Amino acid sequence: MARRGRGSTGTGRPSRLPEGRFEAPEPIRHDTGSGLVIDFHGDDGRTGTFSLIGEPMPGWHGLLAEAFAHRTGPGGSVRTLSGALSTFGCIVRWLRWLEASFPEVSAPGELSRDHVNAFAERDDVAETTRYSDMLEMRMLVDPAHIRARLTDDAWSSLRRRMPVPRRDAVGGYSDGEWTRLLAAARADVAAVARRIRKSEELLRQLADSPASLTQAQRGHAGLLAEIAVTGVVPLGDQRMLISERNRLAAELFLVWNDLVPLMVLLAAVTERNGETIKELPAAHRILEGRAVEVVVTKRRRGAKRWFETVTWEIGPKNRELHTAGGLYLLLLELTARSRAICGSASAICLWISGHRRLTYGAAEHSAPFDATLRDNGSASFPRWVARQAKPLLADPEPAPQKPDERVPPKPLEVTFNRIKTTAEVRRTKQTGGHLPSAAKSNTAQVLYANYLRPDATMREWAEEVMGEALVDAEQAARTAYEHAALKIHDQRSQACGGGPDVRSDAGSDEATGTAWAACTDHKHHPATGRDCEESFLACFHCGNCLITRDKLPRLLALLDAMNLRLQQMDEDAWWKRYGPVWAAIRRDVLPKFNPAEVAEIRKHPLPEALLDLVEAPWEHT
């Protein structure tokens, strides 16, 4: 078919097809020496070739190559180059261990339960390696057509549950450490921006008004203009020193030493992990001059869920180091010349000296994370911390037990994990601890398990919030019960002709003494007009009740006894049984006496409360 472009398809017109028959290449191919080679094409655009040539135990190569091709193929669960490298490393360890421990197991069908158990219980590797290797081997041979080539005992042993190794929790930074880290990163990024912008301004002056420059400035600007066009940093007549070439290239291009503070600051303001920062694309869209829209990569989300569209605020020009959109656009500005020379679509492009690779010229410009996310140690966090003019230190450790011992300050440990954890913790605090609202690039479950739970400052904050919430809830419950008890007390007082009569003198001679008060007329109850048959606890709501100073010690003992009962029984039952009495004594009786008088009585031993005498035996057994 010759139709092309728009309009080439439609109703009744089939889409164009490739000429001839398409045959997908086999994932496993034979190389020289009868070795098996597996080609890998990842979803992240990175490719790799894995070869079993030279590895021991050739009887296992066919099964493991097929298992590896299935696990890393289009339908497999390992779709990144780093994941494929990890899986292949497990295969190599398995083959070399078999050769060293059980060379007689030359084929998969000869593997037994004891062999698998011995592999799981190796003592020459770390516990985490043993756990990950067993898990990886189980995933490799899990497909039915591969599993069928093993014995049932071997497969059963591979499926056994392994104890998950305990890993040290990695928390975030304290507020002081976070402030110092961002201050150092912003200072370095600002210096990089001033350095490159100064050279760009010099080039503009050379083009617009060369007469305004001195002869030395024009000579240097001419050299920079030639480097800017060709991308070639000259070697010089006698081969410049590496440091001199780096200094000259740094006037126009981003270099390795600039990468760490930029990535630290990007991870902090965008609240994204290191992998996403390394794979930032240069393609973007400006939204009304206020925000920038970028499609970022977020791995480990499952098939076809790697990409996410984010919108970052740009902010004012003088705040570009504080907003995600402003910092992203600054990154594109600083890497624009290197990107144009190397032709990469990545946001991070820089000049890397080629003296070790013996490559010079335009080839020294590249996107370092296009081929692999590893930086090969060139962009070192510890090295950046050590280069700081003002030491970047961690918080001091607790004071030692012995006063003469001094703990020297330690350099701050900088990792993407701790930066990400700190960003997640700070955002969670800002949302009041509501995980669904705080979850940004992960689920609420992942946010809690991997970022919040290991962080000590988050645990302290959560305990403080929960403690305050419990205190507020308890206080609200007490207030509600007090209001209910006072309402019952008021109703009973109205029914009985008012509350108790409180006097500081000896009282009335006609009054009849009770357990905690006196009754002026027990023959005529105010509500019924008949003999009183109520409990002594009901006296505090009766108009015939008379309380004098000599009853005060026993009333205080009654209060203490009721407070003790609150600790021994259900709170609802306590308020129902003792709440009105407790409220009457606290509101109607004690305020009528001088506080100093009450305090003086409490200095002496109080009499027995006699609370058990007014209750049925089954109520306090």
Side-chain angles (χ1 to χ4, degrees):
M1 294 185 180
R3 298 194 303 269
R4 296 175 180 270
R6 298 187 62 181
S8 62
T9 61
T11 304
R13 288 181 292 177
S15 59
R16 297 176 65 248
L17 298 176
E19 300 293 340
R21 180 181 177 84
F22 174 74
E23 294 288 347
E26 291 293 333
I28 305 174
R29 54 187 173 88
H30 291 269
D31 206 335
T32 57
S34 299
L36 298 179
V37 177
I38 306 98
D39 293 322
F40 172 77
H41 301 273
D43 289 346
D44 55 359
R46 297 177 175 87
T47 62
T49 300
F50 298 88
S51 173
L52 289 173
I53 299 175
E55 295 299 334
M57 309 300 287
W60 281 83
H61 288 192
L63 179 138
L64 293 178
E66 184 178 355
F68 180 77
H70 185 276
R71 181 149 169 73
T72 60
S77 56
V78 176
R79 298 297 301 136
T80 64
L81 181 58
S82 58
L85 288 170
S86 176
T87 299
F88 191 76
C90 175
I91 291 176
V92 172
R93 285 191 294 273
W94 170 264
L95 292 174
R96 295 177 182 178
W97 174 82
L98 273 181
E99 181 190 36
S101 303
F102 301 99
E104 68 276 7
V105 186
S106 59
E110 300 173 3
L111 190 68
S112 68
R113 179 189 299 270
D114 294 337
H115 300 143
V116 176
N117 291 342
F119 181 74
E121 297 167 3
R122 292 168 294 165
D123 55 3
D124 59 339
V125 296
E127 183 183 5
T128 54
T129 304
R130 292 197 300 268
Y131 176 80
S132 61
D133 282 352
M134 282 293 291
L135 186 63
E136 190 61 52
M137 290 300 299
R138 181 194 313 165
M139 299 296 293
L140 278 167
V141 302
D142 183 65
H145 66 284
I146 298 176
R147 186 196 322 161
R149 295 161 64 179
L150 297 177
T151 62
D152 292 340
D153 283 349
W155 170 240
S156 177
S157 185
L158 281 171
R159 289 183 59 194
R160 72 172 183 168
R161 178 174 294 180
M162 294 280 292
V164 180
R166 295 186 60 182
R167 299 181 180 179
D168 295 335
V170 179
Y173 298 107
S174 67
D175 290 342
E177 292 174 335
W178 183 250
T179 301
R180 296 193 293 272
L181 175 63
L182 293 191
R186 286 195 176 104
D188 283 3
V189 174
V192 172
R194 286 195 301 268
R195 182 190 75 211
I196 295 180
R197 285 172 174 171
K198 179 181 178 181
S199 299
E200 295 290 348
E201 179 63 24
L202 185 62
L203 293 180
R204 281 191 291 270
Q205 290 181 5
L206 178 65
D208 298 339
S209 55
S212 62
L213 301 176
T214 65
Q215 184 177 358
Q217 288 177 332
R218 283 197 298 271
H220 186 64
L223 176 61
L224 292 181
E226 182 179 355
I227 295 175
V229 173
T230 63
V232 178
V233 180
L235 293 173
D237 297 336
Q238 297 179 351
R239 296 277 179 141
M240 289 185 184
L241 294 176
I242 297 174
S243 59
E244 294 180 1
R245 292 191 75 233
N246 288 340
R247 181 190 55 77
L248 185 58
E251 293 191 38
L252 286 174
F253 312 115
L254 210 64
V255 295
W256 264 124
N257 289 341
D258 305 330
L259 194 55
V260 170
L262 258 172
M263 292 196 300
V264 167
L265 198 55
L266 278 166
V269 299
T270 63
E271 300 179 351
R272 296 282 168 169
N273 58 29
E275 293 175 344
T276 299
I277 298 303
K278 292 177 180 180
E279 293 187 298
L280 280 177
H284 64 281
R285 193 160 65 100
I286 303 294
L287 304 178
E288 298 181 357
R290 298 183 177 183
V292 58
E293 183 181 86
V294 187
V295 179
V296 300
T297 304
K298 176 65 172 70
R299 296 164 178 265
R300 294 184 295 276
R301 278 191 167 181
K304 300 180 180 180
R305 296 181 57 204
W306 279 23
F307 302 102
E308 177 185 0
T309 301
V310 298
T311 303
W312 292 330
E313 179 188 2
I314 296 176
K317 189 65 176 177
N318 60 350
R319 297 283 296 174
E320 62 184 351
L321 300 183
H322 297 261
T323 60
L327 185 59
Y328 171 77
L329 294 180
L330 174 62
L331 172 67
L332 296 184
E333 175 188 341
L334 300 179
T335 58
R337 292 193 179 277
S338 290
R339 186 180 309 104
I341 295 170
C342 69
S344 174
S346 297
I348 298 179
C349 298
L350 51 145
W351 181 90
I352 306 173
S353 176
H355 69 280
R356 292 183 179 177
R357 298 165 293 163
L358 299 179
T359 57
Y360 299 97
E364 292 178 295
H365 297 268
S366 64
F369 302 115
D370 277 358
T372 176
L373 294 182
R374 299 178 180 178
D375 53 28
N376 297 321
S378 299
S380 170
F381 288 113
R383 193 177 304 166
W384 173 69
V385 173
R387 285 200 308 264
Q388 294 299 308
K390 182 179 180 181
L392 185 56
L393 303 176
D395 285 345
E397 296 183 358
Q401 297 293 335
K402 298 180 180 179
D404 56 341
E405 293 181 358
R406 298 185 62 185
V407 180
K410 295 182 178 180
L412 185 63
E413 180 187 8
V414 181
T415 64
F416 279 124
N417 286 342
R418 296 192 68 184
I419 295 173
K420 174 68 170 173
T421 297
T422 306
E424 297 286 357
V425 168
R426 294 173 68 87
R427 187 175 64 253
T428 302
K429 288 182 179 180
Q430 292 172 358
T431 59
H434 187 250
L435 294 188
S437 300
K440 183 176 181 179
S441 58
N442 299 290
T443 63
Q445 292 79 5
V446 172
L447 171 64
Y448 170 74
N450 295 350
Y451 296 102
L452 304 184
R453 184 171 60 181
D455 187 73
T457 59
M458 186 64 191
R459 289 197 301 271
E460 294 175 1
W461 177 80
E463 291 171 359
E464 180 181 351
V465 171
M466 287 297 298
E468 293 176 353
L470 289 175
V471 170
D472 293 343
E474 182 180 3
Q475 186 62 38
R478 278 185 171 274
T479 302
Y481 277 123
E482 287 182 12
H483 289 168
L486 292 177
K487 184 176 181 181
I488 296 174
H489 167 259
D490 293 339
Q491 292 174 351
R492 291 184 178 181
S493 297
Q494 293 175 4
C496 297
D501 182 11
V502 182
R503 303 180 187 178
S504 59
D505 54 8
S508 175
D509 295 337
E510 294 80 11
T512 302
T514 65
W516 304 285
C519 183
T520 58
D521 188 4
H522 71 279
K523 292 291 185 179
H524 299 87
H525 191 276
T528 63
R530 301 177 181 178
D531 289 349
C532 180
E533 298 178 353
E534 297 290 338
S535 167
F536 287 150
L537 291 177
C539 292
F540 298 97
H541 313 293
C542 182
N544 292 339
C545 179
L546 174 63
I547 298 178
T548 57
R549 185 186 183 283
D550 60 324
K551 298 292 185 181
L552 193 54
R554 201 169 292 278
L555 284 175
L556 296 177
L558 177 61
L559 273 180
D560 293 345
M562 288 190 292
N563 291 333
L564 181 61
R565 291 288 172 87
L566 178 59
Q567 303 174 13
Q568 299 172 347
M569 60 188 298
D570 180 71
E571 189 173 356
D572 291 340
W574 185 91
W575 278 101
K576 185 177 181 181
R577 185 184 301 177
Y578 304 117
V581 180
W582 182 86
I585 296 175
R586 295 294 301 269
R587 193 184 78 164
D588 296 337
V589 178
L590 291 183
K592 302 293 181 64
F593 293 96
N594 192 318
E597 186 178 15
V598 175
E600 181 64 27
I601 293 176
R602 282 201 172 275
K603 293 180 180 179
H604 305 283
L606 298 177
E608 293 187 9
L610 305 177
L611 183 57
D612 293 341
L613 299 179
V614 297
E615 296 181 335
W618 58 82
E619 293 181 337
H620 54 81
T621 56

